[in-house]
Amino acid sequence: MLPWGLSCLSVLGAAGTALLCAGLLLSLAQHLWTLRWTLSRDRASALPLPKGSMGWPFFGETLHWLVQGSRFHSSRRERYGTVFKTHLLGRPVIRVSGAENVRTILLGEHRLVRSQWPQSAHILLGSHTLLGAVGEPHRQRRKVLARVFSRAALERYVPRLQGALRREVRSWCAARGPVAVYEAAKALTFRMAARILLGLRLDEAQCAQLAHTFEQFVENLFSLPLDVPFSGLRKGIRARDQLHRHLEEAIAEKLHEDRAAEPGDALEVIIHSTRELGRELSVQELKESAVELLFAAFFTTASASTSLVLLLLQHQAAIARIRQELAAQGLGRACGCAPGAAGGGAGPRPDCGCQPDLSLAALGRLRYVDCVVKEVLRLLPPVSGGYRTALRTFELDGYQIPKGWSVMYSIRDTHETAAVYRSPPEGFDPERFGAAGEDARGASGRFHYIPFGGGARSCLGRELAQAVLQLLAVELVRTARWELATPAFPAMQTVPIVHPVDGLRLFFHPLVPSAAQDRLCL
């Protein structure tokens, strides 16, 4: 029998040997993992793979990405450059930023790359959507949807959008406690999309219930493609089916309306446009189109609206400039009706006769407001980028992008590193989009600013989104003042959608008593 001291040494030696073996095995596994991806390069191309790390076996760098958020990409961009490789969510990924590199990706749709969405998104959104279409079907659907966002359509939407935004801002001012702006913006965005864009007839209770169902749908859009009990996909399917059941009745009414009547909302435009092309859409196709439109508008517009409120609060000089511009255009006076009940979202009194005083033409004359909106979208773009799949091996910035690899172009990194502006890109400066800024950027600035993407899959609703933000800025600035309800400004979460981690809790106060205003009421 060994003495106690020797026995302990023996145990420690065995443990040390086990740890050493485990370390060697782990090191060997990582070496083989790296070698596996090094050998996956396209040998028909003499170009090397981009620099970067593929992380640990199977996991790649997914854990680092989830923990570090936007810092993950910026740190690797600083280390490896504007084109680097990584491994995320089980796939090899080439991360791309910089105007010229992004231009190659966005203009290479259908030729170099194709749109990439998770299988769960295709299952939940359906097969009759713009998102899943490629080639000629994509071009045809895009042509139809473009009419939803034509100038004539926007002219119809703007007065109703202004009314909805006016009521919302006034309800914030009437609230007795702090307003969670991001949550309020999501509810507002859904109401506007459902009632104004789609033309659904919903009371407040129906709208709230449908919004809750829709949020469940979106929360499970990016989930494992496993249709089993309690899975994210099963929850998403259940929410989708509830949405479809509600939409069926509204769509049936629109299909039987007078064919000669002028279309008034997006669904009617889609129905009329496809009939002009000699087609008749099925109810299923219309349901999927309606849900896709809601999805496209929901989180991104809510995110941008919240960022607008936040950045204006942080930069009071911009608020003063907007008020000056509104006064110069004769738009400085807000509706003078008394706010509705606190927190109830009722807005002006039911008998309020205040009429919308803004149109697309009027918004077009508010040059500084337009600059503010563009700067908000540049500094805090709602989504960080987009995914594509390489259709063939091609060259980018001296590296090969192998066929079949995922390519992620970065909106945020491209905005942060753009060197074409007259002021540092990390600062808030709406004037960079003024006349002097336009001259400084010239034609080369097109892909330095890409909040709505670009190329064949650029956002069709960009003009509508910008109009909503301009209307919100006007109603906010001439109606309210606002302040933090928390000790400090919140940190921003950037994945998957940009938003303040605490939802941005603010107090809103009406600017002046309504009796002191020259009212716009009739």
Side-chain angles (χ1 to χ4, degrees):
M1 184 175 181
L2 290 173
W4 181 83
L6 291 176
S7 177
C8 288
L9 288 173
S10 177
V11 170
L12 290 173
T17 301
L19 287 173
L20 179 61
C21 290
L24 289 173
L25 286 173
L26 196 60
S27 177
L28 177 62
Q30 186 170 22
H31 177 73
L32 291 174
W33 176 254
T34 302
L35 182 62
R36 178 255 188 276
W37 292 111
T38 301
L39 294 176
S40 72
R41 64 181 296 276
D42 188 341
R43 297 182 185 181
S45 170
L47 297 171
L49 286 170
K51 298 176 183 178
S53 169
M54 304 306 280
W56 294 96
F58 305 109
F59 295 102
E61 294 193 298
T62 301
L63 295 178
H64 296 84
W65 173 62
L66 292 173
V67 171
Q68 296 177 12
S70 62
R71 182 58 190 158
F72 171 86
H73 296 296
S74 60
S75 64
R76 281 150 182 77
R77 185 188 72 229
E78 292 165 4
R79 188 185 311 170
Y80 302 122
T82 56
V83 179
F84 64 87
K85 69 177 183 288
T86 182
H87 194 280
L88 300 174
L89 300 174
R91 287 184 62 89
V93 178
I94 305 293
R95 171 86 172 192
V96 174
S97 60
E100 287 305 312
N101 294 329
V102 169
R103 179 182 184 277
T104 299
I105 301 301
L106 293 179
L107 298 186
E109 187 72 30
H110 308 312
R111 181 174 52 87
L112 299 177
V113 297
R114 62 172 172 81
S115 178
Q116 177 185 316
W117 287 83
Q119 187 180 351
S120 58
H122 287 286
I123 293 170
L124 292 175
L125 287 168
S127 59
H128 305 102
T129 59
L130 192 65
L131 169 147
V134 295
E136 187 59 27
H138 175 262
R139 282 185 282 271
Q140 289 297 323
R141 288 175 189 164
R142 189 174 174 88
K143 182 179 179 181
V144 169
L145 285 174
R147 300 188 185 186
V148 172
F149 304 105
S150 66
R151 185 169 184 87
L154 294 180
E155 290 283 10
R156 293 194 299 270
Y157 303 148
V158 163
R160 297 185 64 194
L161 290 170
Q162 184 187 357
L165 289 162
R166 174 183 288 169
R167 287 189 296 274
E168 185 71 15
V169 172
R170 294 177 68 77
S171 76
W172 294 351
C173 291
R176 292 193 177 94
V179 175
V181 175
Y182 184 53
E183 291 302 317
K186 285 193 290 185
L188 169 66
T189 299
F190 183 85
R191 286 198 303 273
M192 291 192 299
R195 290 173 172 170
I196 299 172
L197 188 60
L198 297 183
L200 303 182
R201 300 181 182 92
L202 302 169
D203 60 30
E204 287 299 321
Q206 289 174 319
C207 202
Q209 182 180 4
L210 204 62
H212 176 70
T213 302
F214 183 74
E215 195 154 358
Q216 288 181 320
F217 169 80
V218 174
E219 285 173 356
N220 293 289
L221 199 60
F222 304 102
S223 56
L224 291 174
L226 299 174
D227 185 10
V228 296
F230 309 109
S231 67
L233 182 61
R234 178 67 63 85
K235 294 175 185 176
I237 290 172
R238 191 183 305 121
R240 179 202 62 192
D241 291 345
Q242 290 176 15
L243 289 170
H244 282 190
R245 281 194 295 271
H246 191 95
L247 288 166
E248 276 182 16
E249 185 178 344
I251 289 171
E253 289 180 9
K254 294 180 184 297
L255 286 171
H256 291 92
E257 287 175 354
D258 182 7
R259 296 193 175 203
E262 182 73 17
D265 57 59
L267 280 176
E268 292 174 359
V269 169
I270 292 171
I271 292 168
H272 280 67
S273 297
T274 51
R275 282 173 176 168
E276 288 177 4
L277 295 172
R279 286 193 60 214
E280 190 76 29
L281 291 180
S282 68
V283 172
Q284 182 64 26
E285 288 176 300
L286 288 168
K287 286 189 295 186
E288 291 180 7
S289 295
V291 171
E292 184 178 33
L293 285 171
L294 287 173
F295 169 63
F298 186 55
F299 275 111
T300 51
T301 307
S303 167
S305 299
T306 305
S307 297
L308 172 68
V309 176
L310 172 64
L311 288 172
L312 285 177
L313 178 59
Q314 292 175 328
H315 300 90
Q316 295 289 316
I319 293 177
R321 284 286 305 276
I322 292 174
R323 286 184 179 140
Q324 290 174 5
E325 183 172 65
L326 292 175
Q329 294 291 331
L331 297 169
R333 298 294 185 184
C335 168
C337 295
R349 298 188 312 264
D351 61 341
C352 173
C354 294
Q355 297 297 312
D357 61 334
L358 293 171
S359 62
L360 279 182
L363 291 176
R365 292 191 291 270
L366 300 176
R367 298 299 304 150
Y368 187 74
V369 171
D370 179 60
C371 291
V372 167
V373 167
K374 288 177 178 175
E375 180 68 346
V376 169
L377 294 171
R378 186 199 67 84
L379 202 58
L380 292 173
V383 294
S384 61
Y387 282 90
R388 301 289 188 268
T389 298
L391 294 173
R392 60 181 178 86
T393 299
F394 62 95
E395 184 270 338
L396 194 65
D397 205 20
Y399 299 105
Q400 65 163 269
I401 310 300
K403 178 182 178 180
W405 281 42
S406 295
V407 181
M408 182 188 180
Y409 71 90
S410 173
I411 295 172
R412 185 172 298 111
D413 287 0
T414 299
H415 287 182
E416 288 177 355
T417 57
V420 297
Y421 299 114
R422 66 176 193 173
S423 57
E426 65 271 11
F428 180 81
D429 179 18
E431 289 293 349
R432 76 174 79 244
F433 291 101
E438 292 286 351
D439 293 340
R441 288 197 307 279
S444 65
R446 178 181 172 190
F447 286 92
H448 290 281
Y449 177 73
I450 49 170
F452 300 105
R457 292 192 182 270
S458 62
C459 176
L460 282 169
R462 58 187 177 274
E463 299 295 337
L464 176 61
Q466 289 181 120
V468 169
L469 295 174
Q470 290 169 331
L471 290 166
L472 176 59
V474 171
E475 292 301 331
L476 272 171
V477 165
R478 68 182 184 179
T479 302
R481 61 180 179 85
W482 56 104
E483 60 188 355
L484 280 175
T486 54
F489 286 106
M492 299 297 287
Q493 182 172 320
T494 58
V495 177
I497 296 289
V498 169
H499 66 277
V501 293
D502 69 349
L504 189 61
R505 297 173 60 79
L506 301 177
F507 291 111
F508 288 84
H509 311 282
L511 267 183
V512 292
S514 58
Q517 293 189 357
D518 296 324
R519 301 197 307 174
L520 292 174
C521 296
L522 298 178

